[in-house]
Amino acid sequence: MRDVLTAIHHGNRTGNYTVLRDYAADDFGADNNATQLAARFTELRSSGLDMLPTLVVEPTILQAQISAGNDQMRLTGYFPTLPQHFSFDLVFLQERGRWRMLDVSVGNFDPIEAPEPTPQAEEPAAEAEESSE
């Protein structure tokens, strides 16, 4: 996962996505030339998002699936980086003895703030019962 994101980061910084293309699964490379990949990542590239923190920040995995044949894996989640979180949806294919990227979707979004706890209504104090003897 981090390898793929680093290759995207390098492509965004240099404008050269051939390493990402060559690093991915054969089908991905056949479907995407370097020019198509540059177009695909235009918005992310122009946002100026620095993806290097993904190398040291632990991701939050929202979904992890492996296909019934154990030949595809999908990872969906985000890195809680600041000033913006970095999201990913990656599909890998087991090819030639290693997991290779088959599909990718990445982006950034404003951090999700945990909601403030709702104050609990105070219960009325139990009235003491007076007992008469």
Side-chain angles (χ1 to χ4, degrees):
M1 171 176 52
R2 292 181 201 268
D3 285 344
V4 168
L5 297 178
T6 302
I8 293 169
H9 177 75
H10 291 163
N12 286 343
R13 292 295 189 237
T14 65
N16 183 346
Y17 293 89
T18 55
V19 170
L20 176 64
R21 182 180 172 274
D22 295 344
Y23 193 67
D26 292 341
D27 287 346
F28 183 89
D31 292 343
N32 297 283
N33 65 38
T35 303
Q36 290 168 317
L37 288 173
R40 186 174 183 178
F41 292 110
T42 298
E43 187 176 326
L44 184 66
R45 186 173 56 255
S46 23
S47 77
L49 179 67
D50 183 3
M51 294 171 56
L52 283 182
T54 64
L55 293 174
V56 294
V57 173
E58 287 302 313
T60 299
I61 304 293
L62 301 174
Q63 184 178 23
Q65 297 176 318
I66 294 187
S67 67
N70 291 326
D71 62 345
Q72 284 193 18
M73 172 175 49
R74 183 176 187 174
L75 298 173
T76 305
Y78 67 95
F79 288 89
T81 54
L82 293 175
Q84 292 189 305
H85 289 349
F86 179 80
S87 63
F88 59 88
D89 187 9
L90 303 167
V91 178
F92 294 92
L93 176 68
Q94 182 74 331
E95 191 175 77
R96 294 191 305 272
R98 69 179 191 97
W99 291 104
R100 295 170 157 260
M101 183 190 65
L102 182 61
D103 197 12
V104 58
S105 177
V106 292
N108 54 337
F109 61 95
D110 291 334
I112 302 168
E113 294 184 22
E116 294 291 323
T118 7
Q120 297 291 330
E122 290 190 28
E123 294 182 26
E127 294 181 25
E129 291 181 26
E130 294 181 26
S131 60
S132 51
E133 291 183 37

